Amino acid sequence: MDKTTISTVAKLARLAFSKKEVPIGAVILDAQGNIIGRGYNRMHGRKDATEHAEIMAIKQAAKRVGDWRLDGCHLVVNLEPCLMCLGAIANSRIKRVTYFLADSAFGSAESKLTPAQLKKLFPKLIIKKVADTGETKALLQQFFKQLRKQ
């Protein structure tokens, strides 16, 4: 994963933050490594519980390729995906998911499901956690600190 991908995910998370949304950003890369889908959380603004960054990125990528099947694609997101997003990722046939920070409250790739459960639910999906640069954690802490003040 290159610096441009990481930078784009961070930029999308900051955009969500600026719109008073939970700062999560996601991109989808095609088999050649080109970004074909981008998304950031928009649940509060759109009053829709399904407006997660991953779902938005999947919709954009599917529209761009002209099919719901995103075979061979790679989703990169700054926070561990929830179960709804993992289902959408698997259903769209994305091959790999990379995330930076675990989410003990809603994350399902490591925080709620065991490796055996993941394999049973999503047998073809490769999920990998990589080290967070610190930006995701700092942005989330700042977001929830501001939310508690309100």
Side-chain angles (χ1 to χ4, degrees):
M1 184 173 26
D2 64 12
K3 289 180 182 181
T4 303
T5 301
I6 295 168
S7 173
T8 302
V9 170
K11 181 179 173 184
L12 290 163
R14 288 190 301 272
L15 179 59
F17 181 87
S18 75
K19 294 178 182 280
K20 298 184 174 151
E21 299 280 356
V22 179
I24 301 173
V27 298
I28 295 181
L29 307 169
D30 65 14
Q32 291 73 42
N34 302 308
I35 294 175
I36 60 169
R38 292 174 173 81
Y40 61 91
N41 271 19
R42 296 185 267 191
M43 285 178 34
H44 298 289
R46 296 209 175 160
K47 311 272 188 255
D48 183 341
T50 66
E51 293 283 317
H52 288 202
E54 299 94 327
I55 304 294
M56 299 301 95
I58 289 168
K59 287 180 178 182
Q60 191 178 85
K63 188 174 184 177
R64 184 156 182 198
V65 300
D67 195 358
W68 60 269
R69 294 173 196 88
L70 299 173
D71 294 309
C73 288
H74 179 188
L75 184 135
V76 181
V77 61
N78 63 329
L79 191 67
E80 179 184 7
C82 70
L83 191 55
M84 174 186 71
C85 290
L86 279 178
I89 290 163
N91 285 339
S92 63
R93 299 184 182 168
I94 290 172
K95 182 179 182 177
R96 290 181 305 160
V97 174
T98 301
Y99 66 97
F100 306 146
L101 190 66
D103 179 2
S104 60
F106 297 103
S108 292
E110 74 174 70
S111 297
K112 300 290 183 208
L113 299 174
T114 66
Q117 290 169 323
L118 273 175
K119 190 72 174 163
K120 186 175 182 179
L121 287 170
F122 312 111
K124 295 182 180 181
L125 189 59
I126 300 165
I127 303 171
K128 181 179 178 185
K129 180 181 175 189
V130 297
D132 179 35
T133 63
E135 183 171 7
T136 298
K137 185 176 182 178
L139 204 53
L140 284 162
Q141 287 174 333
Q142 186 179 359
F143 175 81
F144 286 110
K145 184 178 180 181
Q146 286 180 0
L147 193 62
R148 282 190 293 277
K149 284 182 181 179
Q150 295 176 353

